[in-house]
């Protein structure tokens, strides 16, 4: 065993990325033995592969756009739930889970939004909001997105009430507390339980992010193509006035560019003419100076010749 960090803050927590029944029954995620019969039953189901989270025929829609809503009032209907959650985005589909015999609400629902962005907004803002005078909780679709998930009816799940004696930790409502006791790394590894992320704990006031879809290069190209097509459609749907304004703007831009280019060319031509004039003036000055020097030299030679003849 190794000791956990001694300077761990009492408000430090961490969240489960995968589900393990034994760990879910532990307040700090380090238990290696089931502490109640329900945990033991969930552990058997998990070990024997008796539960298929994707085998539910009622599962439809995009799991990355789907939100779990719990603690609903039994008076809440599909219509009132849709109205309450539409403030966060466009609701594409909604399934209020009901009793198979009586038809009464089971107190939870799955809500699918049109986009992942709208689901993310509802995930952050709808948690602990009130619908029909009942404080609800929201979470991502763990049944489809959390590896190893076991539902509450088989002894798993998350959350729970203290009165039941079957609390489950690691979720949004009841995160794992940072352990203050020695961590049995060898035993955790033997059971396939991920150890606490020492040095990477979160504050209980931080909102854990739900899983995000991994986008491939094909998805990015399709997104770019889709946006391009949408721009083309918007341009085709433009009114004649808008088209005329865009055409006039392009014409003005073209004229402005031509004027700037003409101005630059004119200025360049003017500068070139100035340089040429200066060069010609310099050449004339040099030539005149040479001529004067030559004349003075000839005059001086003539004067010397005349003086010799005189003597």
């Amino acid at each position: 065993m190794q000791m956990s960090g001694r300077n761990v803050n009492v408000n430090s927590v961490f969240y489960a990325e995968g589900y393990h029944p034994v760990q879910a029954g532990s307040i700090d995620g380090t238990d290696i033995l089931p502490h109640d019969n329900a945990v033991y039953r969930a552990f058997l189901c998990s070990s024997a592969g008796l539960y298929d989270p994707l085998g539910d025929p009622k599962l439809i829609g995009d799991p990355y756009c789907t939100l779990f809503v719990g603690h609903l009032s039994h008076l809440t209907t599909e219509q009132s739930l849709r109205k309450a959650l539409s403030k966060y985005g466009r609701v594409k589909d909604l399934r209020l889970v009901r009793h198979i015999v009586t038809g009464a609400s089971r107190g939870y629902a799955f809500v699918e939004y049109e986009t992942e962005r709208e689901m993310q907004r509802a995930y952050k803002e709808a948690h602990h909001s009130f619908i029909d005078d009942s404080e609800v909780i929201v979470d991502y679709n763990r049944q489809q997105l959390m590896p190893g998930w076991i539902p509450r009816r088989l002894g798993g799940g998350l959350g729970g009430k203290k009165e039941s004696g079957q609390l489950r930790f690691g979720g949004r409502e009841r995160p794992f507390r940072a352990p203050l006791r020695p961590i049995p790394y060898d035993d955790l590894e033997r059971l396939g339980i991920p150890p606490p992320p020492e040095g990477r704990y979160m504050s209980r006031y931080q909102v854990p992010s739900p899983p995000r879809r991994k986008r491939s290069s094909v998805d990015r190209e399709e997104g770019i193509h889709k946006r391009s097509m949408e721009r083309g459609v918007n341009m085709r749907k433009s009114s004649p006035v808008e088209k005329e304004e865009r055409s006039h703007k392009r014409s003005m831009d073209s004229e402005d560019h031509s004027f700037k280019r003409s101005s630059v060319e004119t200025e360049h031509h003017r500068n070139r003419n100035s340089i040429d004039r200066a060069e010609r003036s310099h050449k004339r000055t040099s030539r005149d100076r040479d001529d004067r020097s030559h004349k003075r030299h000839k005059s001086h030679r003539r004067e010397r010749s005349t003086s010799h003849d005189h003597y």
Side-chain angles (χ1 to χ4, degrees):
M1 291 186 181
Q2 294 183 8
M3 291 296 294
S4 177
R6 295 181 180 179
N7 297 324
V8 174
N9 192 303
V10 293
N11 289 320
S12 298
V13 299
F14 65 102
Y15 298 87
E17 297 181 359
Y19 191 86
H20 194 288
V22 176
Q23 185 183 37
S26 171
I27 193 172
D28 62 1
T30 62
D31 285 0
I32 57 176
L33 294 174
H35 69 78
D36 62 52
N37 292 332
V39 170
Y40 184 70
R41 186 170 71 252
F43 179 65
L44 291 179
C45 289
S46 176
S47 301
L50 300 179
Y51 174 71
D52 180 11
L54 303 180
D56 187 353
K58 296 180 181 179
L59 289 177
I60 57 174
D62 188 345
Y64 290 95
C65 297
T66 302
L67 200 69
F68 167 84
V69 185
H71 294 183
L72 289 171
S73 168
H74 292 286
L75 300 177
T76 298
T77 64
E78 284 83 356
Q79 292 74 22
S80 60
L81 182 59
R82 180 183 292 270
K83 180 180 179 181
L85 294 180
S86 292
K87 67 176 68 174
Y88 307 107
R90 298 163 297 167
V91 176
K92 181 178 181 180
D93 194 16
L94 182 149
R95 181 167 70 94
L96 179 62
V97 180
R98 295 182 177 276
H99 194 278
I100 192 172
V101 177
T102 64
S105 170
R106 300 289 297 272
Y108 64 96
F110 295 92
V111 181
E112 182 186 4
Y113 284 91
E114 290 284 350
T115 65
E116 192 173 344
R117 182 187 296 272
E118 291 166 312
M119 177 269 178
Q120 297 272 351
R121 180 188 176 191
Y123 174 84
K124 294 178 180 178
E125 299 181 12
H127 193 51
H128 288 305
S129 63
F130 284 85
I131 300 177
D132 294 330
D133 296 327
S134 180
E135 187 177 4
V136 302
I137 61 171
V138 299
D139 205 348
Y140 68 88
N141 190 351
R142 293 182 184 269
Q143 180 176 348
Q144 293 181 275
L145 298 180
M146 190 174 198
W149 175 255
I150 299 293
R152 169 65 69 172
R153 59 185 172 83
L154 296 178
L158 292 171
K161 297 181 179 180
K162 291 183 178 180
E163 296 80 14
S164 67
Q166 296 182 0
L167 295 178
R168 300 292 181 264
F169 300 89
R172 189 174 186 181
E173 279 294 278
R174 295 186 182 277
F176 295 121
R177 297 179 185 176
L180 300 175
R181 58 180 179 175
I183 300 175
Y185 287 100
D186 294 337
D187 292 329
L188 293 177
E189 183 178 0
R190 177 174 53 83
L191 293 173
I193 299 176
E198 290 192 283
R200 294 183 289 110
Y201 296 121
M202 298 176 63
S203 165
R204 63 171 58 253
Y205 304 108
Q206 292 178 280
V207 179
S209 298
R212 295 180 180 273
R213 191 195 316 273
K214 295 181 180 179
R215 301 189 181 278
S216 63
S217 58
V218 176
D219 294 333
R220 288 193 293 270
E221 291 177 1
E222 289 180 353
I224 294 173
H225 178 70
K226 183 178 179 180
R227 289 192 294 272
S228 176
M229 293 293 292
E230 289 176 352
R231 284 197 296 269
V233 171
N234 292 334
M235 291 184 66
R236 287 194 294 271
K237 290 182 179 179
S238 300
S239 65
V241 176
E242 292 174 341
K243 292 181 179 179
E244 184 177 352
E245 289 178 352
R246 284 199 298 270
S247 177
H248 178 68
K249 184 178 179 180
R250 285 196 297 269
S251 176
M252 293 294 291
D253 291 342
S254 177
E255 290 179 0
D256 184 56
H257 179 70
S258 299
F259 175 76
K260 289 181 179 179
R261 185 172 59 187
S262 176
S263 300
V264 171
E265 292 177 351
T266 302
E267 184 67 21
H268 177 73
H269 183 68
R270 186 183 298 114
N271 292 338
R272 185 61 189 173
N273 288 340
S274 299
I275 294 173
D276 292 342
R277 285 196 299 270
E279 289 180 350
R280 287 195 296 271
S281 175
H282 177 71
K283 288 180 180 180
R284 285 197 299 271
T285 302
S286 299
R287 190 165 51 249
D288 293 342
R289 188 167 56 250
D290 292 341
D291 291 343
R292 287 194 299 270
S293 175
H294 181 66
K295 289 180 180 180
R296 285 197 301 270
H297 182 67
K298 289 179 65 176
S299 174
H300 181 67
R301 289 180 59 187
R302 191 179 301 113
E303 290 176 357
R304 288 180 59 188
S305 177
T306 303
S307 82
H308 286 305
D309 293 341
H310 178 72
Y311 289 105

